[in-house]
Structures are given as C-alpha cells and as structure tokens.
Amino acid sequence: VRVLGLNSIFVFVGSELTIQLLEKTHVGSGTQAPSTYHWLYEHFFSNWAPAPTSGFLFAAVALVFWWLVSYYFHRQHWSIAI
C-alpha cells in the first residue's frame, strides 16, 4: 500500500492557507488585538513551557493535525490529484 506522498500538495497548501487565515484574524477588538495565530501560541503553549519547547510543541501539534487530516482522507479513499 502506497500512502506516503498521497495528498501531500493538498496538505501543504491547506497548512499555508490556515496559517495565513490565523494571521489575518484577530482575537478581541481594537488595534492592539493579537492575531489568532499568536493568541493560540501565547495561551496554549508559551504559558507553561519555555520558548524553544513551546515553539516545538506548537509546530508538533500543527503537524499532528495535518497528519490526522491526511489519515482521514486515506481512510475515506479520497485523493486530490493535481
């Protein structure tokens, strides 16, 4: 069974679009409202882990999320080909 690389371009584009969406949306109102991306990092990772570890954990959670999306596509026999 060949799974490695299946839907890889979809996952790459999806992750990039998600980052851009999280950077463009803000939590709160006003000019000082943090982007959703930074808010997630500050409230879920940097509060309880030092800077290098929290950055690694943030990236690892994003990686696991997209791996689960890819796994779900594989289980559903969905393939996006370009």
Side-chain angles (χ1 to χ4, degrees), residues 3-73:
V3 176
L4 191 61
L6 195 61
N7 294 322
S8 58
I9 294 176
F10 168 75
V11 169
F12 173 73
V13 171
S15 67
E16 287 296 320
L17 291 175
T18 301
I19 290 170
Q20 289 188 12
L21 177 71
L22 291 175
E23 280 290 336
K24 293 193 185 301
T25 58
H26 296 277
V27 177
S29 59
T31 58
Q32 298 297 327
S35 69
T36 308
Y37 183 84
H38 290 286
W39 186 87
L40 287 170
Y41 175 75
E42 290 173 2
H43 285 81
F44 290 104
F45 297 97
S46 69
N47 280 344
W48 56 273
T53 306
S54 61
F56 173 76
L57 291 174
F58 190 60
V61 167
L63 178 70
V64 168
F65 170 77
W66 286 105
W67 182 84
L68 289 172
V69 169
S70 182
Y71 182 72
Y72 177 76
F73 272 45

